[in-house]
């Protein structure tokens, strides 16, 4: 087993990996950006290294800086968690090529093969795994989309080769939309994955999202050994983003479950895959199905993609099987091999995972732009697990994903799991940061969800927004606190210092000492860091960041995100409703439009720029 593992991630998944390492007697190293200097994953690690500024591209996505931190810390392995570089085959190859470092995950070759969706479809088709009717080679011309539609009908899904989680996927409902949607999918693919290649699939009208957790290694005979740990149903989604996951699926018969599990094992074995991964499928739901009659073995299902990493919802499988998937990842990467075979896997009870996102469900799930956890008291009791990296008093970091925690609930059956989830969600006390806990409380009593007949389109097409607003009003968390907490009684003083990029925490006991005034410099000689100016406030030179001058009108960012494209230039004339730029936030493209007509006087952003809520993007006159 390894001595030291660097976790190339942040937040709850970094803490979750660190806990597994601690139980194996392995020390851990955290990496953090300037925005995360006080984050929970930094507190949880044995060592911590600053790898850059808040912008992810300059810190958590900087593979060179992360490898340098691993070498400086004498780590002998890197675990990527999920997100950021977790599915980046080039980064995996960099780690593999670095003497003394081991990559905790599938090989970079397997990641390349299965990470490109058209290549993965070919692998699965060769292994007799059903695939959705579509292309097995990239398309780059709108005529290809039209031809596909003529043969297979509409709607069509255009998908980025490197995509996942809805990123880089666009739906073409009719031929007239083909050109615009093709360009949009290619643009997202380039922005997210540095790969503008796309492929086509028939878009299923009533799909369920069912995925199979697998763990694999190579046996002593040189042949792949693949174990599946059952399926998870991730059909409750909003705009292709999972919200609640559960297992086993409430919709599958045992016979269909066996067919899907066997297909996952075949496909993974054919790719010579090792370590943990998830094979995702779309299953055609029958809209008229009796909830008491699960889908039979004849039900069509199709391969969707392989996630070559651990999943957010791996906790559901752990609750059902009692198997620590992260420990299995570490053992396989260390050369110790799988500790179980298929006959040793049994599924017990029912489990659900609720993503606790800092979003306002009543405002179209808009991510919070600020906040502090004035109250943070997660639930407990039998069958309740909370994965987080937070503690009361923490400031919300909004530079990255909005998920702040995960609530995992287990019950002897689905009814008990739902009842226990209702209780746990009611116990979850959070104030100072808006979350989607009220939305989850609504869903555990939603008739369609309780019946288990929902599809991936249910939230987007069928749930009344008024119901969500009522839930937010009834159960919503308090607004963010604006006053600093009173620490005047404290006599211990904590300091954080960095030496050559490495973080150290120092505590000094000061008996009968007066409180430190935030504006003063302490006796050690280090002054407190200045706070960032509020959006629209004056900066050091006296200029307001929201001022546009000359009587112009600013078009500003309504949320934090990344500029994907700028559609106007200085001197252009625009009308009300025209798109001036495209902003990515929370894995979705958002058109930024002009509220009124005018002439573009100033363009203040370019493709690839990160922006905060309130930042001026374009000025009209």
């Amino acid at each position: 087993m390894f001595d030291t593992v660097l976790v190339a991630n942040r937040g709850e998944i970094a803490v979750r990996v660190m806990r597994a390492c601690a139980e194996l007697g392995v020390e851990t190293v955290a990496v953090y950006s300037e925005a995360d200097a006080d984050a929970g994953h930094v507190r949880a690690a044995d060592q911590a290294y600053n790898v850059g500024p808040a912008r992810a591209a300059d810190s958590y996505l900087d593979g060179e800086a992360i490898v340098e931190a691993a070498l400086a810390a004498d780590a002998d392995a890197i675990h990527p968690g999920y997100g950021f570089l977790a599915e980046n085959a080039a980064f995996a190859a960099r780690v593999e090529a670095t003497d003394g470092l081991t990559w905790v995950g599938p090989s970079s070759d397997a990641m390349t093969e299965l990470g490109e969706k058209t290549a993965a479809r070919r692998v699965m088709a060769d292994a007799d795994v059903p695939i959705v009717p579509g292309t097995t080679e990239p398309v780059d011309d709108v005529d290809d989309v039209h031809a596909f539609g003529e043969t297979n009908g509409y709607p069509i899904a255009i998908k980025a080769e490197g995509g996942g989680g809805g990123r880089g996927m666009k739906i073409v409902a009719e031929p007239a939309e083909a050109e615009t949607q093709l360009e949009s999918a290619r643009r997202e693919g380039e922005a997210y994955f540095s790969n503008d290649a796309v492929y086509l699939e028939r878009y299923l009208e009533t799909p369920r999202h069912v995925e199979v957790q697998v763990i694999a290694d190579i046996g002593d005979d040189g042949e792949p050994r693949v174990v599946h740990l059952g399926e998870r149903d991730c059909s409750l989604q909003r705009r292709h983003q999972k919200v609640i996951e559960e297992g086993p699926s409430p919709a599958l018969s045992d016979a269909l479950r066996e067919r899907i599990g066997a297909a996952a094992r075949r496909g993974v074995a054919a790719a010579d895959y090792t370590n943990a991964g998830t094979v995702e499928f779309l299953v055609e739901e029958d809209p008229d199905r009796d909830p008491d009659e699960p889908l039979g073995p004849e039900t069509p299902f199709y391969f969707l993609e392989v996630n070559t990493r651990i999943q957010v919802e791996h906790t559901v499988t752990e609750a059902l099987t009692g198997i620590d998937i992260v420990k299995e990842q570490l053992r396989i990467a260390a050369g110790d091999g799988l500790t179980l075979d298929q006959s040793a896997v049994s599924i017990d009870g029912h489990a659900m995972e609720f993503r606790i996102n800092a979003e306002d469900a009543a405002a179209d799930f808009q991510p919070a732009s600020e906040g502090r956890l004035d109250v943070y008291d997660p639930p407990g009791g039998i069958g309740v697990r909370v994965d987080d990296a937070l503690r009361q008093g923490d400031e919300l970091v909004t530079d990255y994903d909005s998920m702040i925690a995960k609530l995992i609930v287990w019950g002897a059956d689905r009814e008990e799991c739902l009842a226990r989830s209702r209780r746990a969600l009611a116990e979850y006390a959070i104030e100072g940061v808006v979350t989607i806990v009220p939305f989850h409380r609504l869903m555990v009593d939603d008739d369609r969800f309780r019946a288990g007949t929902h599809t991936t389109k249910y939230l987007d097409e069928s749930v009344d927004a008024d119901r969500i607003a009522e839930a937010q009003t009834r159960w919503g968390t308090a607004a963010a606190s604006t006053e600093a907490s009173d620490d005047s009684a404290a006599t211990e003083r904590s300091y954080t210092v960095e030496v050559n990029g490495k973080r150290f925490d120092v505590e000094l006991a000061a008996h009968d000492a007066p409180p430190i005034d935030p504006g003063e410099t302490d006796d050690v000689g280090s002054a407190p860091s200045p706070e960032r100016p509020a959006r629209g406030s004056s900066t050091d030179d006296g200029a307001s960041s929201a001022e546009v001058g000359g009587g112009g009108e600013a078009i500003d960012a309504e949320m934090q995100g990344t500029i994907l494209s700028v559609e106007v230039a200085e001197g252009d004339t625009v009308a009300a409703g025209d798109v001036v730029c495209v902003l990515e936030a929370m894995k979705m493209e958002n058109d930024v439009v002009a509220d009124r007509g005018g002439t573009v006087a100033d363009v203040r952003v370019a493709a690839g720029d990160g922006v905060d809520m309130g930042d001026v993007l374009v000025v009209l006159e």
Side-chain angles (χ1 to χ4, degrees):
M1 181 48 65
F2 305 116
D3 293 321
T4 305
V5 171
L6 181 144
V7 183
N9 220 292
R10 65 178 299 276
E12 55 80 26
I13 185 56
V15 173
R16 190 265 171 274
V17 174
M18 291 171 188
R19 286 172 172 162
C21 288
E23 292 178 15
L24 292 172
V26 176
E27 292 194 350
T28 54
V29 181
V31 291
Y32 64 97
S33 71
E34 292 172 1
D36 270 338
D38 298 317
H41 74 286
V42 178
R43 298 191 292 258
D46 297 298
Q47 303 181 60
Y49 286 78
N50 184 336
V51 290
R55 186 167 179 260
D58 300 322
S59 51
Y60 294 113
L61 292 174
D62 187 340
E64 182 178 359
I66 290 172
V67 168
E68 287 177 356
L71 295 175
D74 289 327
D76 43 13
I78 292 180
H79 191 300
Y82 50 70
F84 293 130
L85 295 170
E87 289 185 283
N88 187 308
F91 178 64
R94 178 195 289 268
V95 176
E96 292 168 344
T98 302
D99 289 342
L101 284 181
T102 298
W103 172 251
V104 182
S107 70
S108 58
D109 288 341
M111 292 176 69
T112 298
E113 184 173 38
L114 294 180
E116 293 182 355
K117 300 305 186 291
T118 51
R121 283 167 58 85
R122 290 193 294 270
V123 170
M124 293 296 159
D126 290 343
D128 196 28
V129 176
I131 62 173
V132 179
T135 60
T136 55
E137 297 292 340
V139 299
D140 55 12
D141 191 282
V142 69
D143 290 339
D144 296 329
V145 183
H146 290 151
F148 185 85
E150 291 174 5
T151 301
N152 296 278
Y154 291 86
I156 301 168
I158 305 178
K159 295 187 174 184
E161 274 233 328
R167 290 181 173 182
M169 183 174 83
K170 299 298 172 183
I171 308 304
V172 180
E174 56 185 354
E177 299 176 356
E179 185 170 8
T180 299
Q181 298 292 57
L182 177 63
E183 291 175 357
S184 181
R186 295 187 66 179
R187 184 170 61 237
E188 278 195 21
E190 177 63 34
Y192 285 120
F193 315 108
S194 300
N195 180 0
D196 68 354
V198 298
Y199 65 102
L200 309 178
E201 281 185 353
R202 193 183 82 195
Y203 186 63
L204 303 182
E205 297 285 9
T206 57
R208 297 191 72 92
H209 183 123
V210 176
E211 60 189 31
V212 179
Q213 177 71 60
V214 297
I215 308 178
D217 71 352
I218 303 298
D220 294 336
D221 58 0
E223 294 298 317
R225 293 197 306 157
V226 182
V227 175
H228 82 75
L229 307 183
E231 88 281 356
R232 299 182 292 255
D233 194 310
C234 307
S235 300
L236 199 72
Q237 302 182 6
R238 177 186 172 270
R239 295 170 73 176
H240 310 294
Q241 298 301 307
K242 301 167 186 175
V243 184
I244 300 175
E245 302 100 344
E246 64 179 308
S249 171
L252 304 188
S253 63
D254 287 342
L256 180 57
R257 179 171 288 115
E258 289 183 13
R259 285 188 63 209
I260 293 174
R265 293 181 71 190
R266 285 198 309 273
V268 167
D272 291 330
Y273 188 94
T274 58
N275 216 273
T278 300
V279 187
E280 299 191 342
F281 296 92
L282 294 178
V283 179
E284 291 211 54
E285 175 65 277
D286 177 359
D288 301 320
R289 176 175 64 87
D290 185 328
D292 295 328
E293 296 181 4
L295 298 168
E298 73 288 347
T299 303
F301 67 91
Y302 305 102
F303 167 76
L304 179 61
E305 63 181 352
V306 177
N307 286 286
T308 56
R309 52 170 168 79
I310 198 159
Q311 294 267 97
V312 175
E313 60 273 19
H314 75 279
T315 56
V316 170
T317 300
E318 291 181 330
L320 295 173
T321 63
I323 296 168
D324 188 321
I325 298 173
V326 174
K327 286 184 182 178
E328 292 295 327
Q329 286 190 289
L330 292 165
R331 291 183 182 115
I332 293 169
D336 298 335
L338 270 170
T339 64
L340 66 154
D341 57 28
Q342 194 64 56
S343 63
V345 178
S346 61
I347 306 298
D348 180 26
H350 199 92
M352 293 184 178
E353 177 185 272
F354 301 87
R355 300 190 183 200
I356 310 301
N357 297 341
E359 300 172 7
D360 186 351
D364 199 28
F365 291 80
Q366 180 174 330
S369 61
E370 59 184 348
R372 185 184 65 197
L373 291 167
D374 296 328
V375 172
Y376 185 72
D377 189 9
I382 296 175
V384 175
R385 165 182 170 181
V386 176
D387 278 20
D388 59 23
L390 303 168
R391 66 185 179 194
Q392 192 159 295
D394 280 357
E395 294 285 341
L396 182 66
V397 176
T398 59
D399 299 84
Y400 314 108
D401 193 273
S402 66
M403 189 174 69
I404 59 176
K406 301 185 306 196
L407 170 65
I408 305 96
V409 181
W410 177 91
D413 53 31
R414 194 169 188 261
E415 285 304 309
E416 182 177 62
C417 185
L418 283 166
R420 189 167 283 164
S421 297
R422 185 185 303 109
R423 184 267 297 171
L425 287 163
E427 287 181 5
Y428 214 140
I430 304 175
E431 293 183 12
V433 174
V434 66
T435 74
I436 61 171
V437 168
F439 166 80
H440 290 317
R441 296 182 70 175
L442 174 68
M443 284 296 103
V444 294
D445 283 321
D446 179 82
D447 290 341
R448 183 86 173 269
F449 180 69
R450 291 184 66 88
T453 58
H454 55 288
T455 70
T456 59
K457 302 179 181 181
Y458 176 57
L459 287 183
D460 292 332
E461 297 180 356
S462 302
V463 176
D464 189 345
D466 289 342
R467 293 177 59 208
I468 298 176
E470 290 168 4
Q472 187 66 35
T473 299
R474 180 178 180 185
W475 296 307
T477 54
S481 171
T482 57
E483 296 184 4
S485 60
D486 181 10
D487 293 327
S488 59
T491 57
E492 285 194 357
R493 297 174 180 174
S494 298
Y495 304 90
T496 300
V497 298
E498 289 180 12
V499 179
N500 294 329
K502 182 176 180 179
R503 175 192 179 94
F504 296 90
D505 293 322
V506 180
E507 293 185 0
L508 300 179
H511 299 286
D512 300 319
I516 300 173
D517 185 274
E520 296 178 355
T521 300
D522 58 53
D523 294 338
V524 178
S526 60
S529 300
E531 294 183 359
R532 285 183 286 181
R535 296 183 180 93
S537 65
S538 295
T539 56
D540 292 340
D541 61 5
S544 169
S545 62
E547 291 176 357
V548 297
E553 181 171 318
I555 301 175
D556 56 22
E558 295 183 357
M559 63 192 76
Q560 181 269 338
T562 301
I563 300 297
L564 292 182
S565 67
V566 178
E567 304 297 325
V568 296
E570 289 186 24
D572 287 354
T573 300
V574 298
D578 284 354
V579 177
V580 297
C581 59
V582 180
L583 171 68
E584 180 276 326
M586 287 307 299
K587 306 178 183 178
M588 292 175 285
E589 278 194 15
N590 301 272
D591 290 337
V592 180
V593 300
D595 290 332
R596 66 172 181 82
T599 302
V600 177
D602 191 11
V603 177
R604 300 195 178 182
V605 292
D609 287 353
V611 297
D612 286 327
M613 180 184 292
D615 284 356
V616 177
L617 309 179
V618 174
V619 179
L620 298 182
E621 63 179 16

